[in-house]
Amino acid sequence: MSRKFFLLLLLLLLSVPAAMAAAPVYGYRIVNSYPHDPGAFTQGLVYLEGVLYEGTGLQGSSSLRRVDLESGRVEQLQRLAGTLFGEGIAAWGDKLIQLTYRNRLLLVYDRASFRLLATHPYPREGWGITHDGQRLIVSDGTSVLRFLDPQTFAESGRVAIHDRGRPVERLNELEFVEGEIFANVWQTDRIARIDPQTGEVTGWIDLAGLLPPALRRGNTDVLNGIAYDAKGRRLFVTGKLWPALFEIELLPRP
């Protein structure tokens, strides 16, 4: 390589804006592991006021659950109608909101009793749902996240998610964590950390190897389920039909 060409290449690299640099990747350390129902096809996870809520999927097996974190015991369960395929869940005030996959319905429950309060039409596939304290945030498997009014469920805005200009698709389970949206990318072991204002991926969490081979069975499915304990600053993750739920600490990689 000639000196002139090398200098030209160096100038080009130096001229690349910082925003185009690769998003940082985070590894993890397992802080605690807890039992998890291996029959739960986890679609949504919420931790609030010392209580773990879980939404499960599959037609004929979908449910809303209150789960004891330490033991994994299901303390309260509401089954969905057999025609419904449950998806992500979010807590809003004294209510729990659950999406459905292709049924085009959104379900609203009383958080204490799990009594179904209302069903609302929903115009697209439901995947993941969370909120930022003002708006609901939902995914539908595309690279777009939508903001909904928590009372009327009308769309109030949207943001396209991208990593250095490249759309990030298959956004699934969502969790709002200290000003960022954490979004699991379906069928991967990765979670995107997203700036909700710009849609830019600010980092990646690589959870490869989280569930050890010894705990995997023939029907063990993909990573899915993110919950954050805002008071204790604890991050929980699990997967579909996983026998364990993990509390993890994020570790920056060089």
Side-chain angles (χ1 to χ4, degrees), residues 107-239:
L107 312 176
V108 181
Y109 303 87
D110 176 78
R111 182 154 63 93
S113 67
F114 282 11
R115 181 171 62 91
L116 182 63
L117 300 175
T119 61
H120 292 268
Y122 188 70
R124 58 186 54 84
E125 289 185 3
W127 286 47
I129 181 170
T130 187
H131 69 83
D132 62 3
Q134 297 180 324
R135 309 166 296 179
L136 299 176
I137 307 168
V138 295
S139 63
D140 60 6
T142 68
S143 62
V144 174
L145 296 180
R146 290 176 166 83
F147 303 106
L148 306 182
D149 181 287
Q151 304 301 330
T152 66
F153 306 110
E155 184 175 327
S156 60
R158 64 180 68 179
V159 62
I161 310 307
H162 53 93
D163 183 4
R164 281 50 185 170
R166 297 183 298 272
V168 179
E169 299 182 334
R170 294 184 293 170
L171 297 171
N172 194 12
E173 158 76 334
L174 305 176
E175 183 73 7
F176 197 76
V177 180
E178 297 186 3
E180 293 182 303
I181 302 169
F182 282 23
N184 164 238
V185 179
W186 183 50
Q187 292 186 321
T188 78
D189 292 319
R190 304 188 68 164
I191 292 173
R193 301 178 63 165
I194 298 167
D195 181 332
Q197 302 301 318
T198 65
E200 181 69 48
V201 172
T202 60
W204 290 97
I205 303 169
D206 184 356
L207 297 181
L210 178 61
L211 185 68
L215 293 181
R216 291 186 173 271
R217 306 183 305 172
N219 66 340
T220 300
D221 212 303
V222 296
L223 178 80
N224 203 49
I226 312 167
Y228 186 61
D229 172 12
K231 185 175 181 180
R233 303 189 72 181
R234 297 184 295 171
L235 181 64
F236 303 103
V237 290
T238 189

